Amino acid sequence: MLGICRGRRKFLAASLTLLFVPAFTWIYLFSGSFEDGKAVSLSPIESQPHSPHYTASNQRERESLEIRMREVEEENRALRKQLSLAQNRSPSHRRGNHSKTYSVEEGTGDSESLRAGIVAGNSSECGQQPAVEKCETIHVAIVCAGYNASRDVVTLVKSVLFHRRNPLHFHLIADAIAKQILATLFQTWMVPAVRIDFYDADELKSEVSWIPNKHYSGIYGLMKLVLTKTLPSNLERVIVLDTDITFATDIAELWAVFHKFKGQQVLGLVENQSDWYLGNLWKNHRPWPALGRGYNTGVILLLLDKLRKMKWEQMWRLTAERELMSMLSTSLADQDIFNAVIKQNPFLVYQLPCFWNVQLSDHTRSEQCYRDVSDLKVIHWNSPKKLRVKNKHVEFFRNLYLTFLEYDGNLLRRELFGCPSEADVNSENLQKQLSELDEDDLCYEFRRERFTVHRTHLYFLHYEYEPASDNTDVTLVAQLSMDRKSVIQLDLANTKKALIVPAFETLRYRLAFPKSKAELLSMLDMGTLFTFRYHVWTKGHAPTNFAKWRTATTPYQVEWEADFEPYVVVRRDCPEYDRRFVGFGWNKVAHIMELDAQEYEFIVLPNAYMIHMPHAPSFDITKFRSNKQYRICLKTLKEEFQQDMSRRYGFAALKYLTAENNS
């Protein structure tokens, strides 16, 4: 027995090394990822710095940081392989231990103090440890309603996907808004080995609407109570998460804790880390009944099959009805009712170590959950203040959250090797299109980008919209909307017109936007503003005729010229942008050319204007300026586009080729 324990200790030492490498990786990433006190995104795509201090050296540091992260991930994989070989040689393996992946030690299952929980949760044992099968699907349920929640859930999902090594099945209880946003997002994300099912939150309102709730989550904050009834009857277990959760480890470690449930334990919960349920926060504070400090429901392990057999629906409803007679309403939504049930039935709970739900709420004792931030596994922003909450390590927590907020989700489209995933029509079509490309083509990357499907997050910000009765709605493709001054007068709905919005620019990073055309002209005369790209690319906006615009009071028509690329307002059914032009160069030029070929009139608006603000050069314009092959490929694509124009429009397209040769 002593020999076996020594062998297990060696394996445990190697396992601890494996666990600490990612932890030190995070420390390394964050220590090198700050600029002026802010996190630098790991993503080379989703965000670019807009600070005037941003330089090429910052970009190089950022790229080297990404390379280092990849190297550490490769080292982790190699270490896991060594651990696997060591496990196969261990005495326990020869005695019949056939676990296919790493094992974890979790929990105490009792109601000891927070400090005891962390110590017991991290202590080593000589007994057999539970494991998660390599390709076992992990089920996660999340209640998500509205624009803000859908935005938060994406950051949560990114943190889970970043660490995961198992197939995932997300069960999203969503309202109509969140479903529309998230269905589009996951459809365009195309992450392998991830399945999404939606359940209509509006249909569940009647199940919980009879419960008065003072919590800011509203009626949706009560819907975790009805998951046994909502989720499929053949689903045996599920991890339930709040949307304000960030993972710092593989969720499979949490899934493995289900194996430690014993007897009638059906709920896995972390003790509440504030004094809320002790009733001593203020005078006359009267919380719902709870066992000791109570439990937080931001992270829940549910054994659904056993809960159904115990008649969970009847259990929580009777408890809620009884307590509401004196309490009148809930203060912490479903958490109050869960705790009241547990108070009467403490045998239902398996207590998780508190690092599985480090709660950053007001009056929290979360700092007692860990000796070092590398011990953390799940961070819970359960204060209305969210990122502004006070905590000794809040900067670390905040930067971890912001890293996943800004992380390029396309990097998470990685296959789980050895785990078959369900066939996805969109993904298969994409692979077919890519397979038809010639990888030896020097412009392969350009042609490949044409078929790239980008993640689409609809309605990132909350908005209210009612369609206009006369169908004259105009939406700027950004996060702003314009009024309809000119749309009705110029009969845009029934004519082929492209309304040109004159463009100006400033070299100042801070500018008071002019409130009128007169104010703009004054700033133009003083040198605060300039016509757009007059000193770099005059041809792009010269046909707008800025001299005429200065005194114009009515819309006026201009003619197409080579390289013309104004900002325009057009009908929804106008020609789309040509997908071959990605990155920098010729996307707007090609679109304006197509509009002209289809006989659109170019009308300059006399009282509309936009101002381009300075920002750091994009990744693609940097490549255009520094990479000769990039410029050659762009020229090749332009020639191919002009050939396509000739095929579509015949003799009428000859003027574009002639203008190009003369420019």
Side-chain angles (χ1 to χ4, degrees):
M1 181 65 182
L2 182 59
I4 293 175
C5 286
R6 286 174 178 168
R8 294 299 296 276
R9 288 192 184 111
K10 290 180 180 178
F11 179 73
L12 179 59
S15 299
L16 289 173
T17 303
L18 178 60
L19 292 173
F20 280 124
V21 167
F24 285 129
T25 301
W26 279 114
I27 296 173
Y28 172 82
L29 290 176
F30 288 121
S31 65
S33 300
F34 295 117
E35 179 177 331
D36 297 332
K38 298 182 179 179
V40 175
S41 167
L42 299 180
S43 161
I45 299 175
E46 285 196 353
S47 62
Q48 289 287 344
H50 294 271
S51 167
H53 305 297
Y54 182 79
T55 63
S57 63
N58 296 108
Q59 179 68 17
R60 288 194 296 271
E61 291 175 4
R62 178 167 160 178
E63 291 173 354
S64 66
L65 188 63
E66 296 167 12
I67 294 171
R68 178 56 186 153
M69 188 181 77
R70 304 292 184 275
E71 291 174 350
V72 173
E73 288 181 345
E74 290 298 325
E75 293 170 4
N76 290 349
R77 278 192 282 272
L79 185 54
R80 288 189 191 92
K81 185 175 181 180
Q82 294 175 7
L83 287 173
S84 177
L85 294 174
Q87 187 179 22
N88 290 339
R89 292 193 295 267
S90 69
S92 60
H93 178 81
R94 292 195 294 268
R95 291 176 62 132
N97 181 3
H98 299 289
S99 299
K100 295 184 181 178
T101 58
Y102 53 84
S103 59
V104 294
E105 68 290 332
E106 298 297 342
T108 59
D110 56 26
S111 299
E112 296 179 7
S113 67
L114 294 173
R115 176 60 66 181
I118 183 72
V119 173
N122 286 338
S123 62
S124 61
E125 299 176 4
C126 232
Q128 184 174 348
Q129 304 297 317
V132 178
E133 297 291 322
K134 178 181 178 182
C135 293
E136 181 178 351
T137 299
I138 296 172
H139 293 267
V140 180
I142 305 170
V143 178
C144 179
Y147 303 96
N148 293 339
S150 62
R151 191 165 65 246
D152 292 338
V153 81
V154 175
T155 307
L156 161 60
V157 169
K158 281 184 184 178
S159 72
V160 173
L161 290 175
F162 182 85
H163 299 285
R164 67 99 178 223
R165 284 171 175 78
N166 284 72
L168 296 170
H169 187 164
F170 289 99
H171 302 265
L172 302 179
I173 295 83
D175 65 351
I177 293 172
K179 181 179 179 181
Q180 182 185 15
I181 294 172
L182 295 175
T184 302
L185 179 76
F186 283 105
Q187 184 180 6
T188 54
W189 202 344
M190 295 190 297
V191 182
V194 171
R195 176 178 170 183
I196 310 293
D197 278 327
F198 290 92
Y199 307 83
D200 192 345
D202 293 329
E203 291 184 359
L204 301 177
K205 286 183 177 179
S206 60
E207 300 284 342
V208 292
S209 59
W210 57 274
I211 305 173
N213 178 29
K214 294 180 179 179
H215 193 255
Y216 61 83
S217 59
I219 192 170
Y220 299 103
L222 297 162
M223 289 186 178
K224 284 183 281 186
L225 293 165
V226 297
L227 289 181
T228 54
K229 188 176 180 180
T230 306
L231 299 178
S233 58
N234 61 347
L235 183 59
E236 296 181 356
R237 60 190 64 178
V238 69
I239 296 173
V240 185
L241 302 174
D242 280 355
T243 59
D244 53 359
I245 290 287
T246 304
F247 265 77
T249 193
D250 190 346
I251 196 172
E253 296 180 34
L254 182 58
W255 186 257
V257 180
F258 276 116
H259 295 288
K260 298 180 74 70
F261 283 31
K262 297 177 182 178
Q264 293 181 293
Q265 291 175 336
V266 290
L267 303 170
L269 292 163
V270 170
E271 190 175 42
N272 200 47
Q273 290 158 20
S274 77
D275 292 344
W276 178 270
Y277 287 109
L278 298 181
N280 58 10
L281 292 182
W282 59 80
K283 188 178 181 181
N284 299 325
H285 175 216
R286 186 165 170 254
W288 275 56
L291 192 66
R293 310 190 68 86
Y295 293 92
N296 183 277
T297 56
V299 177
I300 315 176
L301 271 60
L302 291 183
L303 271 182
L304 296 171
D305 53 343
K306 284 191 174 182
L307 280 166
R308 293 182 184 113
K309 291 175 182 177
M310 290 179 176
K311 301 188 184 304
W312 168 253
E313 280 284 317
Q314 182 179 355
M315 188 183 298
W316 75 258
R317 283 178 181 274
L318 290 174
T319 302
E321 289 172 357
R322 182 182 66 246
E323 297 301 332
L324 283 171
M325 293 178 67
S326 58
M327 300 301 300
L328 303 180
S329 66
T330 60
S331 296
L332 299 181
D334 65 86
Q335 183 169 300
D336 284 338
I337 298 175
F338 269 101
N339 275 288
V341 173
I342 293 168
K343 175 74 171 179
Q344 298 296 318
N345 307 278
F347 57 85
L348 297 176
V349 181
Y350 176 87
Q351 183 172 327
L352 299 171
C354 63
F355 51 64
W356 280 119
N357 184 353
V358 177
Q359 302 148 37
L360 302 182
S361 57
D362 295 328
H363 313 293
T364 184
R365 302 167 73 242
S366 59
E367 293 175 15
Q368 299 184 33
C369 275
Y370 53 90
R371 297 188 183 93
D372 189 82
V373 289
S374 61
D375 295 330
L376 299 174
K377 296 183 183 292
V378 173
I379 300 166
H380 186 187
W381 303 89
N382 63 322
S383 167
K385 298 177 183 177
K386 300 304 177 187
L387 299 185
R388 293 177 288 107
V389 72
K390 293 182 180 179
N391 181 281
K392 184 168 64 176
H393 299 109
V394 72
E395 282 300 315
F396 175 86
F397 300 142
R398 186 183 295 120
N399 283 295
L400 179 61
Y401 172 85
L402 292 175
T403 296
F404 286 120
L405 176 69
E406 300 174 0
Y407 191 79
D408 179 12
N410 295 316
L411 300 178
L412 299 170
R413 289 170 167 168
R414 56 176 183 260
E415 293 283 350
L416 295 180
F417 295 105
C419 297
S421 56
E422 295 182 8
D424 179 84
V425 176
N426 293 329
S427 182
E428 288 180 349
N429 290 338
L430 175 60
Q431 293 304 319
K432 181 181 178 182
Q433 291 171 326
L434 293 177
S435 66
E436 295 173 354
L437 297 178
D438 180 8
E439 294 189 21
D440 295 327
D441 184 353
L442 294 177
C443 299
Y444 170 77
E445 289 300 324
F446 271 87
R447 304 192 192 282
R448 185 180 186 278
E449 277 296 316
R450 183 177 183 180
F451 300 107
T452 299
V453 179
H454 296 279
R455 293 186 319 127
T456 304
H457 191 130
L458 300 174
Y459 316 123
F460 193 75
L461 298 178
H462 178 84
Y463 80 108
E464 298 290 341
Y465 168 66
E466 292 184 8
S469 58
D470 56 1
N471 294 320
T472 56
D473 301 65
V474 175
T475 302
L476 184 65
V477 185
Q479 297 156 359
L480 310 170
S481 62
M482 296 175 60
D483 66 47
R484 304 184 295 276
K485 51 200 184 292
S486 304
V487 175
I488 297 174
Q489 294 174 354
L490 297 173
D491 194 22
L492 188 65
N494 302 307
T495 58
K496 285 186 172 182
K497 287 187 174 71
L499 309 185
I500 295 174
V501 181
F504 301 85
E505 69 175 326
T506 179
L507 302 180
R508 300 182 179 183
Y509 284 87
R510 303 184 69 176
L511 178 77
F513 198 89
K515 297 183 175 67
S516 65
K517 180 176 179 177
E519 189 176 337
L520 180 139
L521 292 175
S522 175
M523 296 172 72
L524 198 63
D525 293 337
M526 291 189 297
T528 305
L529 294 179
F530 308 92
T531 55
F532 189 51
R533 290 293 185 260
Y534 83 99
H535 60 301
V536 176
W537 187 241
T538 307
K539 294 192 296 183
H541 293 263
T544 301
N545 195 343
F546 290 99
K548 183 174 183 177
W549 184 83
R550 292 182 66 104
T551 57
T553 57
T554 58
Y556 60 92
Q557 185 172 350
V558 296
E559 298 299 322
W560 175 89
E561 295 180 19
D563 298 314
F564 192 25
E565 51 175 354
Y567 294 99
V568 295
V569 178
V570 288
R571 291 185 342 207
R572 184 187 295 269
D573 60 355
C574 76
E576 296 182 351
Y577 270 55
D578 192 292
R579 291 176 63 90
R580 81 189 81 196
F581 296 110
V582 295
F584 175 81
W586 250 64
N587 46 11
K588 292 200 298 295
V589 172
H591 187 241
I592 296 299
M593 190 182 294
E594 187 94 36
L595 291 178
D596 184 66
Q598 292 196 15
E599 299 181 342
Y600 274 71
E601 296 178 31
F602 296 106
I603 307 296
V604 180
L605 300 176
N607 295 306
Y609 50 86
M610 63 173 57
I611 298 176
H612 177 268
M613 302 298 291
H615 59 79
S618 69
F619 179 67
D620 290 290
I621 197 173
T622 303
K623 286 199 297 185
F624 174 82
R625 291 169 176 170
S626 62
N627 190 324
K628 182 180 179 181
Q629 187 59 45
Y630 190 103
R631 297 191 294 274
I632 292 173
C633 287
L634 183 58
K635 185 174 184 295
T636 301
L637 295 178
K638 287 165 58 177
E639 293 171 353
E640 292 176 358
F641 173 76
Q642 289 170 335
Q643 292 170 7
D644 290 343
M645 289 282 287
S646 297
R647 281 190 288 270
R648 288 198 298 272
Y649 302 107
F651 182 77
L654 181 62
K655 73 171 185 178
Y656 306 117
L657 185 59
T658 304
E660 177 67 19
N661 292 334
N662 293 334
S663 63

